[in-house]
Every structure is written in structure tokens, then in C-alpha cells.
């Protein structure tokens, strides 16, 4: 029944004036004036015809409206109450999540501090294994590397006219396989793909071999204008590789097509080291290090080093570049090029090139005078450990799990796993 327009007693429409104008009782229900007066009669008290709530004649009040239409808001009210309840629950959950996030951040900081403490003490708990090398295995010009994706140690080797790689499986380093890649001079540089694709760059003369390290197959070749001295992968772009030749040219090569994207002449002498740092390629000769931006501009790095010193090594990790400069008396200084430029002098002598490296938060520097490798913290430059050997260190490779050291008659393997 629509009590907003029809009297619930006589079922007639209300009027704005006269005997059937709209009135209400204390309970709020509406009636025609004449109808409710008759309902009351001579009684002083009565009950509402609709809800039976007690009322009196004095409580009959006129309603000044020409037409009353009531809208049912019960569902809206329930929905509003539900929204308010859910909003309250949401705020409670947000408060809980905020507390949990704060706990997570605190735990992350604790974990970071624990890792730093472990890193500082890691070098005191290395396990050491040593494998003797066959007397016919000449390591004088060899390079050592470790393929983490296949758990394979790789050493470049020249046997007679043949050059190739000696593969050692990590489960038994005493067993190995020699894979011949061709004939030519010793391999001077080797790079493995950072994308775990089993690919390696091994230059022989002026031929850059892109090799599947797992099976030894040559996937592709690029023939440069001159003998290739240095190589590296682009750690941000799996399709680009770089190499430098002995006449001062730098090659940007598309690995899929083996076609040069760009060839830049930056010097007249050999590019002995090349690496990618951030958005720039760095190429180094013994006299100068060049910063190559992708527009093709080549900018010499102004590094203030002693007169007559030559650059013998350059390596990069993340946003840091490590350069080694050697003076006439074989003493070396190191230049760290990153967020800030630092010159480091440890009084070390080096007779061989291409060995010092940065890995994560540590610098590894070879000391030929003492047949050792010193490990320094990158940020504080504090020496935290020294590996000492009975024979000269020819090359080494460091990764997250192992340190491989190539000596004249042995390979030393240090593990962080305890």
C-alpha cells in the first residue's frame, strides 16, 4: 500500500485542505484527518491502525505537503553500512601490512649485515684443491675461465700448431678434454656470454670464433681486418659483442648476423682490453684509455698517472672499472673508475698483463714478487685476505662460488662452500 498518496483507512487520496488533509501520528504513519478522527472517536487514547503504537488526539499533527512519496532506502543503508565496515577492515589490514613491511625491511637489513660479515670472514674458510697439470701442457700463454651454467672450467691451450680449449668438468677436475679450434697463435683473450647461452668468444689471429663451450662447435666466425687482441659481450644486449684489434680499431658486431654494426679507429696501437660499462664502451691501449659513446664519439679518459707508466690491464664489473698501470721498475698502481675516481698503490710488482679483476664488492690483484693474490674490499680498499702460492700466478678467474688460479704446473681451486 502506498501510504504516501493514499489513506490506509479509507483508501482515498489525500487532500491539501479540508477534512481529508494529511496528518500523522507520533509513530510517523500518515492518515486522512477525518479518517483518523473517526478511528479515535471519543477515546482519549488509541493505537495506530498500522503499528499499534499508543497515541492520543493531541499527538495528531498536520503534515504540510501537497504530495508525499517515500523512497525505500533500506538496501542503500545496508550497502552503506557494509562499505563502512569493509573500509574499517581495509584500514586495519593496511595497518597490519605496514607493520609487516617494516619488519621485512628490518629483516633485510639484518640479512645484509649478516652477508657483509660473512663476506669479510669468507676468505678465512676457503677450501683449497690443487690439481697437477700434465708436463706437456704449456700454460705460459693460457687463460683460465669458468662456465657456471655448465659447471665447466676452461683453459686455453696451444698444442703444436693447434690452438683450442681444455675443458675440465667440475665434478672431477682431474679429467679433461682438449677441443681444437684451429691453427694459429695462442688465444690472447676469452669471454663467456653473461646470458648463460654456452657461448664464448675465442679469437685466433684475425678470426673471432663464436664457440659453443658445451660441445666445442664453432657457431659463427667474424673475420676482422687485423689480429684480434680483446673481446667482450654486451651485458645489456645479448645480440651485441665487441672486440679490439692490434691496429687500434674497435668493432661493434651483431652476433646473429656476424656483421659489423660499427668499426671505429681509436688508436694506432693495439687495443689490449675492451669492456662495456653502463652505456659506454671502454677500450684501452698501453698509453691511453678511450671512452666510446654510442653516437660514435671517442673520448680519451684523462687519468693522471706517472710518466712512462703503461696500462697493462682493464676490467669492469657493474659500474666500476679497474685499470692497472705499470712503471719501468714493474711497480703497479691501480685506478678505480666509478662513482668516484680512486688511485691505489700497494707497492706490488707485476711482470705479466691482464690479470687484475673486480668481482662484486672485491678487487683481486696479483703480486708477482710474492706469488700471491691480494683481495681488497672495493669501497674501503682494505686488504682482507692474501692467497699465497709456491709458483708464479699466470692467470685466475673468480666467480660467486669459486676462485680458480692457473699456475705453471697446477690449477688451484678455492671454494666458498663449507
Amino acid at each position: 500500500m502506498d501510504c504516501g498518496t493514499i489513506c490506509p483507512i479509507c483508501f482515498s487520496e489525500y487532500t491539501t485542505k479540508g477534512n481529508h488533509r494529511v496528518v500523522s501520528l507520533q509513530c510517523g504513519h500518515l492518515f486522512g484527518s477525518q479518517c483518523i478522527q473517526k478511528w479515535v472517536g471519543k477515546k482519549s487514547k488509541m493505537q495506530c491502525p498500522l503499528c499499534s503504537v499508543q497515541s492520543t488526539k493531541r499527538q495528531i499533527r498536520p503534515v504540510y505537503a501537497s504530495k508525499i512519496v517515500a523512497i525505500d532506502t533500506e538496501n542503500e543503508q545496508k550497502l552503506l553500512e557494509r562499505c563502512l565496515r569493509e573500509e574499517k577492515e581495509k584500514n586495519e589490514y593496511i595497518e597490519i601490512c605496514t607493520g609487516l613491511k617494516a619488519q621485512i625491511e628490518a629483516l633485510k637489513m639484518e640479512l645484509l649485515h649478516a652477508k657483509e660479515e660473512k663476506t669479510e670472514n669468507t676468505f678465512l674458510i676457503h677450501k683449497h684443491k690443487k690439481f697437477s697439470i700434465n708436463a706437456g701442457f704449456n700454460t705460459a700463454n693460457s687463460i683460465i675461465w669458468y662456465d657456471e651454467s655448465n659447471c665447466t672450467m676452461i683453459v686455453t691451450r696451444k698444442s703444436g700448431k693447434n690452438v683450442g680449449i681444455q675443458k675440465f668438468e667440475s665434478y672431477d677436475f682431474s679429467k679433461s678434454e682438449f677441443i681444437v679450434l684451429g691453427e694459429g697463435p695462442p688465444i690472447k683473450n676469452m669471454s663467456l656470454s653473461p646470458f648463460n647461452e654456452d657461448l664464448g668468444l675465442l679469437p685466433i689471429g684475425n678470426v673471432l670464433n663464436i664457440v659453443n663451450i658445451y660441445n666445442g662447435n664453432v657457431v659463427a666466425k667474424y673475420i676482422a681486418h687485423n689480429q684480434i687482441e680483446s673481446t667482450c659481450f654486451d651485458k645489456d644486449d645479448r645480440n651485441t659483442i665487441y672486440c679490439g684489434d692490434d691496429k687500434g680499431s674497435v668493432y661493434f658486431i651483431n652476433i646473429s648476423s656476424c656483421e659489423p654494426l660499427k668499426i671505429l679507429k681509436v688508436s694506432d696501437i693495439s687495443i689490449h682490453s675492451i669492456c662495456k660499462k653502463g652505456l659506454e664502451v671502454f677500450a684501452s691501449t698501453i698509453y691511453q684509455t678511450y671512452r666510446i659513446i654510442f653516437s660514435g664519439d671517442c673520448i680519451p679518459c684523462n687519468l693522471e698517472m706517472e710518466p712512462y707508466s703503461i696500462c697493462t690491464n682493464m676490467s669492469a664489473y657493474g659500474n666500476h672499472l679497474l685499470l692497472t698501470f705499470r712503471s719501468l721498475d714493474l711497480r703497479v698502481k691501480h685506478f678505480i673508475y666509478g662513482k668516484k675516481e680512486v688511485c691505489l698503490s700497494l707497492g706490488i710488482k707485476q711482470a705479466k698483463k691482464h690479470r687484475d679483476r673486480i668481482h662484486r664488492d672485491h678487487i683481486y690483484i696479483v703480486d708477482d714478487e710474492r706469488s700471491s693474490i691480494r683481495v681488497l674490499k672495493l669501497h674501503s680498499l682494505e686488504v682482507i685476505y692474501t692467497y699465497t702460492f709456491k709458483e708464479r700466478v699466470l692467470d685466475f678467474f673468480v666467480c660467486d662460488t669459486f676462485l680458480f688460479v692457473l699456475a705453471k704446473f697446477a690449477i688451484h681451486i678455492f671454494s666458498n662452500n663449507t
Side-chain angles (χ1 to χ4, degrees), residues 18-296:
N19 294 333
H20 207 254
R21 66 179 300 175
V22 185
V23 296
S24 70
L25 298 181
Q26 183 181 4
C27 60
H29 286 116
L30 304 177
F31 304 94
S33 176
Q34 186 179 19
C35 296
I36 196 64
Q37 293 288 349
K38 287 182 180 180
W39 179 274
V40 175
K42 296 181 179 180
K43 295 182 289 186
S44 59
K45 293 183 179 181
M46 65 169 179
Q47 290 181 333
C48 173
L50 296 178
C51 66
S52 301
V53 171
Q54 292 290 332
S55 188
T56 64
K57 279 188 176 183
R58 290 185 178 182
Q59 292 172 338
I60 297 174
R61 297 285 186 270
V63 176
Y64 298 97
S66 59
K67 186 176 182 181
I68 297 173
V69 177
I71 299 173
D72 186 1
T73 60
E74 182 179 0
N75 291 335
E76 286 84 348
Q77 186 64 31
K78 288 181 179 179
L79 185 60
L80 177 61
E81 291 174 357
R82 179 182 172 185
C83 289
L84 292 173
R85 188 168 58 252
E86 290 180 352
E87 183 70 20
K88 182 180 178 182
E89 291 175 355
K90 176 185 172 183
N91 291 334
E92 290 175 353
Y93 285 133
I94 289 174
E95 188 175 347
I96 293 171
C97 288
T98 302
L100 291 174
K101 285 181 180 178
Q103 292 180 30
I104 290 171
E105 290 302 319
L107 290 172
K108 282 183 178 178
M109 290 302 296
E110 288 183 18
L111 180 61
L112 182 62
H113 292 320
K115 284 183 176 179
E116 288 177 353
E117 290 177 3
K118 181 183 177 183
T119 301
E120 291 177 358
N121 298 322
T122 291
F123 298 99
L124 303 177
I125 54 175
H126 280 296
K127 288 183 177 178
H128 177 210
K129 291 183 180 180
K130 178 181 176 181
F131 296 95
S132 297
I133 299 176
N134 187 292
F137 192 162
N138 183 3
T139 60
N141 296 304
S142 294
I143 303 166
I144 192 168
W145 206 282
Y146 183 67
D147 180 11
E148 292 186 84
S149 61
N150 293 309
C151 299
T152 304
M153 181 176 66
I154 302 158
V155 179
T156 62
R157 179 184 175 188
K158 182 173 175 63
S159 178
K161 293 182 179 181
N162 295 325
V163 290
I165 55 175
Q166 195 84 20
K167 285 178 55 182
F168 298 80
E169 302 298 333
S170 62
Y171 61 86
D172 186 358
F173 286 116
S174 61
K175 295 180 180 179
S176 65
E177 174 190 8
F178 181 52
I179 299 174
V180 178
L181 298 177
E183 295 182 357
I187 296 172
K188 294 185 177 181
N189 186 274
M190 175 170 56
S191 302
L192 295 188
S193 171
F195 300 104
N196 295 326
E197 295 171 332
D198 302 331
L199 294 181
L201 303 179
L202 292 116
I204 302 175
N206 69 328
V207 179
L208 177 59
N209 296 280
I210 303 173
V211 181
N212 184 314
I213 298 297
Y214 184 72
N215 55 30
N217 292 334
V218 177
V219 178
K221 293 183 178 182
Y222 175 74
I223 300 176
H225 299 157
N226 304 292
Q227 180 170 302
I228 298 172
E229 297 286 312
S230 54
T231 64
C232 78
F233 281 87
D234 190 319
K235 295 181 179 180
D236 302 310
D237 181 2
R238 65 176 66 241
N239 290 318
T240 305
I241 55 177
Y242 309 95
C243 65
D245 69 20
D246 64 348
K247 301 299 181 183
S249 292
V250 173
Y251 301 76
F252 293 50
I253 302 169
N254 182 290
I255 199 170
S256 301
S257 63
C258 257
E259 293 293 330
L261 301 171
K262 190 182 300 183
I263 301 176
L264 297 175
K265 180 75 171 176
V266 300
S267 178
D268 293 323
I269 58 176
S270 174
I271 305 292
H272 65 63
S273 301
I274 190 167
C275 60
K276 169 84 179 301
K277 185 180 87 71
L279 298 176
E280 299 170 327
V281 174
F282 286 78
S284 187
T285 70
I286 59 173
Y287 298 124
Q288 184 62 267
T289 298
Y290 300 91
R291 183 163 56 93
I292 304 169
I293 57 180
F294 280 83
S295 63

